[in-house]
Structure formats: C-alpha cells, structure tokens
Amino acid sequence: MTDIRFVPYNNIPSYSPYPLSQNSFGMPKDRSVIDPSGDTSKTGECQTCANRKYQDGSDEMVSFKSAQHISPQASASRVMAHEMEHVSNAYKKAATGNGKVLQATVSLKTAICPECGRAYVAGGVTNTKIKYSDEKNPYIENLKKLQTEAATGNSVDIKVG
C-alpha cells in the first residue's frame, strides 16, 4: 500500500493512515477547492465555507443584524467581539437601571466543515445575570416585610429591677 506513510512530527516518526497530502479527515491539506471547470480557487475556502453567513437573533442593537460572511480564520475573533457587545450592553443596562452585573459568561460553539474539514466558530451565546436594587418593586417590598417579621422578637432586652 503506497498511501500509508510515516509522518515525522518534531523529528519523531509516527504512523498515519493518510497520505502526506491529506489531513486527518481525508481532505487535501492545501484546502484548495476545485470547481467544476477545473480551476482551483486561491481563497482557500470551500463552497460551504464561502457561503456560510452569521446573523444575530437577539433583540439588542449589536452587530450582525443582517447576515454577513466571516472567513473560518476570522470567525473566532469576530464572534467573540460580537458576544462581548452583548456583555457591554448588559453593563450599560445595569448602570442605567440601578443594577449590578453579577455574572456574564460567553460560550463559543465550534464545528467542523463537512466539505473541507476546517474547524470554525459556528456561533456564540452570552448569558448575563443582573441584580437590581429597586425599592419600589413589590417583590422586594414583600421580602423586606418578611425579613422584618422574621427578625422581630428574636432578641429581648429586659431590665430586672
């Protein structure tokens, strides 16, 4: 079998069932795409990667309200920057509403392109928790009444005379 070769990595011989010209997904390493006319594109993006678009589905004013293309190489930084816009909005919302951001987490979701085998960031999710100290909130008022009732009578100060 001529396709099985030893591939040196850091001068350590290792076994690979793939030819030197293919990655572990069996795709060409140079990631060039051959279109039906036989031309090789110089962009390095397969058709699936070239057609991939990102769009925000939230109701906040952030980037990607309309669908936009991002290259797989730039997807991590662009999606993280977009998600950080949501975090920034949460801090602004908390500041204007007498609140405090308790937690802000960003999760990026990765995927593998089925056509070229390239890893890319497929999207992201931002979760924020904001605590508001609103004195006029009926739930807060009831909570304070309950705390006052629970504390009443816990300590007794009696003078013996």
Side-chain angles (χ1 to χ4, degrees):
M1 225 179 195
T2 59
D3 284 359
I4 299 174
R5 299 180 184 160
F6 287 99
V7 180
Y9 180 73
N10 291 339
N11 294 326
I12 301 171
S14 61
Y15 172 77
S16 174
Y18 299 101
L20 292 174
S21 62
Q22 292 181 350
N23 64 16
S24 59
F25 297 101
M27 300 295 178
K29 277 189 177 178
D30 63 358
R31 294 188 174 126
S32 60
V33 181
I34 300 173
D35 65 8
S37 66
D39 290 333
T40 304
S41 79
K42 301 297 182 195
T43 62
E45 286 188 1
C46 67
Q47 195 65 30
T48 303
C49 290
N51 291 334
R52 186 175 301 113
K53 296 193 182 287
Y54 292 78
Q55 185 171 8
D56 180 66
S58 69
D59 57 354
E60 294 182 37
M61 289 307 301
V62 290
S63 59
F64 297 107
K65 280 302 177 186
S66 61
Q68 298 177 23
H69 171 71
I70 303 175
S71 70
Q73 298 89 349
S75 64
S77 60
R78 296 278 307 272
V79 171
M80 179 57 92
H82 168 80
E83 295 303 324
M84 291 308 290
E85 288 180 47
H86 288 292
V87 173
S88 176
N89 287 347
Y91 276 96
K92 288 176 189 172
K93 182 179 175 185
T96 59
N98 196 21
K100 178 181 178 183
V101 175
L102 300 177
Q103 181 182 11
T105 59
V106 174
S107 301
L108 298 182
K109 299 177 188 231
T110 59
I112 304 291
C113 178
E115 188 175 340
C116 67
R118 180 178 289 171
Y120 65 95
V121 173
V125 176
T126 300
N127 291 311
T128 56
K129 291 182 183 177
I130 303 173
K131 180 181 179 182
Y132 293 100
S133 59
D134 187 11
E135 298 295 328
K136 296 181 183 178
N137 185 338
Y139 296 106
I140 300 295
E141 289 176 7
N142 286 338
L143 178 64
K144 287 187 177 186
K145 286 179 188 175
L146 285 173
Q147 289 172 341
T148 304
E149 289 175 8
T152 304
N154 285 345
S155 15
V156 179
D157 189 13
I158 299 177
K159 263 189 180 178
V160 178

